[in-house]
Amino acid sequence: MTFATPNLVPVYPEIFLLVALSAILIADLFVSETHRFLTYAYTQLALVGTAGFLVLGATGVPLTTFGGMFVDDPMARTLKLVAVLAVALMLAYSRSYNQQRGLFRGEFHVLILFALLGIMVMVSANHFLVLYLGLELLSLSMCALIALQRDSAQSTEAAMKYFVLAALASGLLLYGLSMLYGATGSLQMALVSNSILSGSADPAILVFGLVFVVAGLAFKLGVVPFHMWVPDVYEGAPTAVTLFVSTAPKIAAFAFFMRLLVGALGSLVSDWQSMLVIVSVLSMLVGNVTAIAQTNIKRMLAYSTISHMGFLLLGILSGSLGGYAAAMFYVVAYVLMSLGAFGVILLLGREGFEADQLDDFKGLNKRNPWVAFMMLLIMISMAGVPVSVGFFAKLSVLSAVLDAGMTWLVVVAVLMSLIGAFYYLRVIKLMYMDEPEDTTPIVAEADHRILIGLNALAILVLGILPQPLIDLCLASITQSMRG
Amino acid sequence: MIDFPILIFSAFALVLLAAGVGVITARNPVHAALFLVLAFFTGSGLWLMLEAEFLAIALVLVYVGAVMVLFLFVVMMLNIDLDRLREGFWKHLPLGAGVALLMVAEMLLVVTSKQFSTLGSSLPPSPGNISNTRELGLVLYTDYVYPFELAAVILLVAIVAAIALTLRRRKDSKHLDPAWQVRVRASDRIRIVSMRSEKDQ
């Protein structure tokens, strides 16, 4: 038996992150409560190091290692970089929130890094087993994070719901994957794809497995009819964790769809396309309509996430490289907007007070015009108004669907986003036209205010000059999905 | 004349079935857990007969050794109200019976179908002197080292999460800090007040 040592160079970012987080886990034991800031600084350093490895190690060509279980391609590099950036921003936004609520602990930072590792593993997975392990790594870390505020009954309830439903979704997914394994005889994505192309796999078993796989994926992405956990988790989790749940894992879910549906099951496109159409239309409908009735802004943003994920699926279901690139652009834009929206909620909160009701935004312009303007930019971007990145994200996804010849779907999507514009604009109306109910001055750390500003500015700049990001997404997708 | 393997198989299978029935009919949860242990043991015996010795050992070590012991601990520590568990048995019986019948029907459909008939034929002969524990070990630490390490990371997450969610420093615990005790000075404990003597007055 011979065994060649695998090429570890493409895996350097993951290895560095794992080593760094283990070091932080140990170092945190020796940091006293008053110097907890050090743990935060180490965590940010670990993220900078990981980003460095990601940028410096980029080769521009797809590489596989560990016997084809791990794939490193431009799409993976770009998505991992966005995930690392999102986590770094999320930690910066949530620092003072956590300090005020006793969540500024070593475990919080370590669990976030574990979840990021899970995301990176999923993004680079080229084997069903690895994909599943990455998913569990992410799910378990997220579950612990949601429950971290353990004296809050609402957090515990949300974590319990998430845990049970995530286990159910994993079960569905594994059942589907076992069917695919039974039909094709392999767990390796490339071999599965070849086996389907050669026609040796039984199509009935393949489609049977596909139904379960799509259901499991839809659960993880949080789209209708598997969306029940999203609003409860968003509302119940501490806002800092909600911010995490709504950003980086969406990148992993996008990569999950790409690797599994496009990479391994690409030749079954006509089968999964029709399933995704149903899921996508229902998500846009239920998400946008239910969001109108919410009074809690975290819940409202949860339903808005559901509708955004429905939009994201439009890009994937169009089944073309342009569509996949549009979906990737959408997920990056969505992560930026969601970071900003929850960043503002965190900024407005203070000790013993969560700014999680819509009424808390009343008259924000009179209390702090700068923050109100940032929220305005984020909201118009989520609604998809021109000169914001959200507009181009929706536009590119819709043009991909139009190219695929599904005009009715474009009409439905535009109608849905018109409905959606109502509740985004309501937030703006509350901020600018209503009198403030609460006149406590808004205090925030300088880094938080500057980063929110940069975040909203990025939304504006990418809305005016979206071309570089669109080109980057298109290049990543074409170089990665060519083979 | 029945040959010896079939005799052993029948013995194990019968004990397994009896233990399985015992798990769901035992009135005492501790007995039910012990029946489950018996079911695991006989199940691993069946796996041994299939020459899957690694699976058999793992079943005994992991399920009997760790999972069931923990389970017994929990069952013994929690004071489970048996009468409440039995409540509503007759109310739920029709639904339960319906689900059970459906499952039996589905199993019959699968077992009697054409695809399943290949399993009835004889297994391919074993290539002889091969230890599947050794073979598993060889690929586990070489070809599958990446998933193996990931599984280890997941266990680490489980440890971190379990400690983060359950460890509480009790504020009311009366523990003593020896270092603090040693450093104590007289001025911490007694206050010397100068008072005039009152005797002369």
Side-chain angles (χ1 to χ4, degrees):
Chain A
M1 164 124 194
T2 54
F3 170 68
T5 312
N7 176 17
L8 291 181
V9 179
V11 204
Y12 276 169
E14 279 84 354
I15 295 177
F16 174 79
L17 184 62
L18 181 59
V19 171
L21 84 85
S22 307
I24 292 170
L25 192 57
I26 295 171
D28 181 64
L29 293 176
F30 300 99
V31 174
S32 72
E33 206 57 50
T34 45
H35 293 84
R36 197 60 71 198
F37 183 81
L38 279 176
T39 310
Y40 168 79
Y42 292 148
T43 310
Q44 291 286 22
L45 272 181
L47 292 173
V48 170
T50 312
F53 273 105
L54 281 171
V55 172
L56 297 178
T59 50
V61 284
L63 285 173
T64 60
T65 181
F66 285 117
M69 287 186 190
F70 181 98
V71 62
D72 173 38
D73 51 22
M75 181 181 88
R77 291 266 166 186
T78 315
L79 288 178
K80 284 179 196 173
L81 206 58
V82 177
V84 170
L85 184 74
V87 169
L89 270 179
M90 172 253 144
L91 285 173
Y93 289 164
S94 57
R95 201 182 76 229
S96 56
Y97 177 91
N98 286 342
Q99 279 167 338
Q100 287 156 3
R101 283 160 188 79
L103 285 175
F104 199 63
R105 314 207 308 247
E107 294 91 4
F108 178 85
H109 297 95
V110 168
L111 284 170
I112 291 277
L113 290 185
F114 269 124
L116 176 64
L117 184 67
I119 291 167
M120 290 171 66
V121 167
M122 278 171 79
V123 166
S124 270
N126 203 26
H127 191 274
F128 290 164
L129 187 59
V130 175
L131 199 58
Y132 175 68
L133 285 171
L135 180 68
E136 285 304 301
L137 185 54
L138 172 63
S139 294
L140 287 175
S141 318
M142 243 156 67
C143 191
L145 280 167
I146 295 168
L148 206 55
Q149 213 171 29
R150 57 194 178 184
D151 293 325
S152 147
Q154 213 182 14
S155 294
T156 317
E157 185 193 329
M160 195 67 206
K161 279 180 183 156
Y162 181 75
F163 183 73
V164 172
L165 290 178
L168 187 68
S170 296
L172 286 177
L173 186 73
L174 281 180
Y175 189 58
L177 291 181
S178 72
M179 286 292 154
L180 295 179
Y181 178 62
T184 60
S186 177
L187 290 172
Q188 194 104 11
M189 309 255 180
L191 298 180
V192 168
S193 173
N194 287 343
S195 164
I196 297 174
L197 279 176
S198 70
S200 60
D202 183 344
I205 301 181
L206 277 180
V207 174
F208 186 69
L210 181 68
V211 174
F212 283 94
V213 167
V214 169
L217 286 176
F219 232 116
K220 295 297 174 191
L221 194 62
V223 284
V224 181
F226 307 104
H227 65 293
M228 297 309 191
W229 61 272
V230 181
D232 289 334
V233 167
Y234 273 45
E235 192 190 355
T239 312
V241 177
T242 311
L243 167 57
F244 177 74
V245 173
S246 71
T247 51
K250 303 297 176 202
I251 298 168
F254 167 73
F256 206 164
F257 269 88
M258 290 303 291
R259 299 275 180 227
L260 207 50
L261 288 190
V262 180
L265 307 171
S267 38
L268 299 177
V269 58
S270 56
D271 291 307
W272 52 255
Q273 192 174 44
S274 45
M275 298 180 203
L276 291 191
V277 168
I278 299 170
V279 170
S280 164
V281 169
L282 280 178
S283 301
M284 289 187 290
L285 181 71
V286 173
N288 281 324
V289 172
T290 323
I292 294 174
Q294 305 304 319
T295 53
N296 180 308
I297 191 162
K298 278 161 81 180
R299 253 187 125 72
M300 186 199 97
L301 286 174
Y303 283 104
S304 129
T305 308
I306 294 171
S307 71
H308 278 294
M309 291 303 116
F311 249 98
L312 174 75
L313 286 183
L314 287 180
I316 296 175
L317 68 83
S318 62
S320 61
L321 285 181
Y324 305 146
M328 186 169 165
F329 181 75
Y330 201 100
V331 80
V332 174
Y334 172 73
V335 165
L336 261 181
M337 298 185 289
S338 192
L339 272 171
F342 283 103
V344 170
I345 298 178
L346 286 172
L347 196 149
L348 295 183
R350 55 176 186 270
E351 195 149 8
F353 171 76
E354 308 260 346
D356 62 355
Q357 297 299 319
L358 275 177
D359 287 346
D360 296 332
F361 282 79
K362 273 190 180 165
L364 187 61
N365 186 40
K366 293 213 174 66
R367 293 170 64 198
N368 191 329
W370 174 246
V371 177
F373 182 63
M374 295 300 122
M375 195 63 177
L376 169 85
L377 284 179
I378 294 160
M379 285 295 128
I380 62 166
S381 177
M382 282 208 170
V385 176
V387 304
S388 67
V389 69
F391 169 72
F392 279 99
K394 284 197 164 66
L395 184 72
S396 52
V397 167
L398 290 179
S399 64
V401 177
L402 204 58
D403 288 342
M406 287 178 277
T407 319
W408 69 273
L409 196 52
V410 176
V411 175
V412 171
V414 170
L415 276 178
M416 293 303 156
S417 58
L418 275 181
I419 297 176
F422 168 75
Y423 57 88
Y424 297 121
L425 295 180
R426 184 173 58 188
V427 175
I428 297 174
K429 178 235 164 206
L430 285 175
M431 289 191 303
Y432 282 86
M433 297 179 188
D434 285 14
E435 287 302 314
E437 289 181 344
D438 172 17
T439 46
T440 324
I442 295 163
V443 281
E445 307 272 335
D447 60 339
H448 193 159
R449 273 181 286 136
I450 293 168
L451 285 172
I452 281 278
L454 287 178
N455 191 332
L457 198 67
I459 289 173
L460 192 63
V461 168
L462 284 173
I464 297 165
L465 299 165
Q467 209 53 44
L469 186 59
I470 291 179
D471 289 343
L472 176 71
C473 291
L474 196 59
S476 308
I477 292 283
T478 34
Q479 281 165 5
S480 308
M481 291 292 150
R482 205 168 29 200
Chain B
M1 181 64 197
I2 310 165
D3 60 340
F4 190 59
I6 291 196
L7 196 68
I8 298 182
F9 172 79
S10 317
F12 273 125
L14 280 177
V15 175
L16 179 61
L17 280 179
V21 172
V23 174
I24 51 172
T25 54
R27 292 183 93 71
N28 186 334
V30 176
H31 293 174
L34 289 173
F35 270 122
L36 195 56
V37 171
L38 181 62
F40 282 139
F41 260 113
T42 40
S44 77
L46 288 178
W47 270 342
L48 265 184
M49 288 182 66
L50 288 171
E51 297 184 17
E53 67 274 4
F54 180 75
L55 275 180
I57 293 169
L59 186 72
V60 172
L61 281 183
V62 176
Y63 276 88
V64 178
V67 176
M68 286 317 296
V69 171
L70 265 179
F71 205 88
L72 272 176
F73 261 128
V74 174
V75 168
M76 288 175 176
M77 265 159 55
L78 296 177
N79 191 12
I80 298 172
D81 187 1
L82 292 175
D83 289 329
R84 262 197 60 215
L85 280 179
R86 264 186 255 288
E87 232 166 56
F89 175 80
W90 293 106
K91 203 178 80 188
H92 298 300
L93 187 66
L95 183 67
V99 172
L101 276 179
L102 197 67
M103 279 169 68
V104 169
E106 282 173 342
M107 277 182 179
L108 280 178
L109 277 178
V110 170
V111 173
T112 53
S113 71
K114 255 206 328 272
Q115 277 88 349
F116 210 73
S117 58
T118 46
L119 284 185
S121 60
S122 62
L123 291 167
S126 162
N129 199 12
I130 272 197
S131 147
N132 63 39
T133 312
R134 187 186 138 81
E135 296 302 313
L136 272 175
L138 279 177
V139 292
L140 194 58
Y141 298 107
T142 51
D143 294 346
Y144 286 85
V145 64
Y146 183 53
F148 181 78
E149 292 294 331
L150 285 177
V153 175
I154 292 178
L155 288 180
L156 184 60
V157 171
I159 298 173
V160 172
I163 294 177
L165 292 182
T166 55
L167 181 73
R168 281 169 199 269
R169 291 218 169 70
R170 294 184 53 170
K171 286 195 189 77
D172 56 345
S173 79
K174 308 264 190 295
H175 78 281
L176 298 171
D177 184 355
W180 184 76
Q181 283 182 309
V182 169
R183 277 202 305 270
V184 76
R185 285 165 303 168
S187 60
D188 294 339
R189 299 285 164 86
I190 47 171
R191 190 161 54 100
I192 299 174
V193 190
S194 77
M195 291 178 80
R196 261 186 326 127
S197 167
E198 293 177 11
K199 201 177 175 184
D200 302 337
Q201 288 175 354

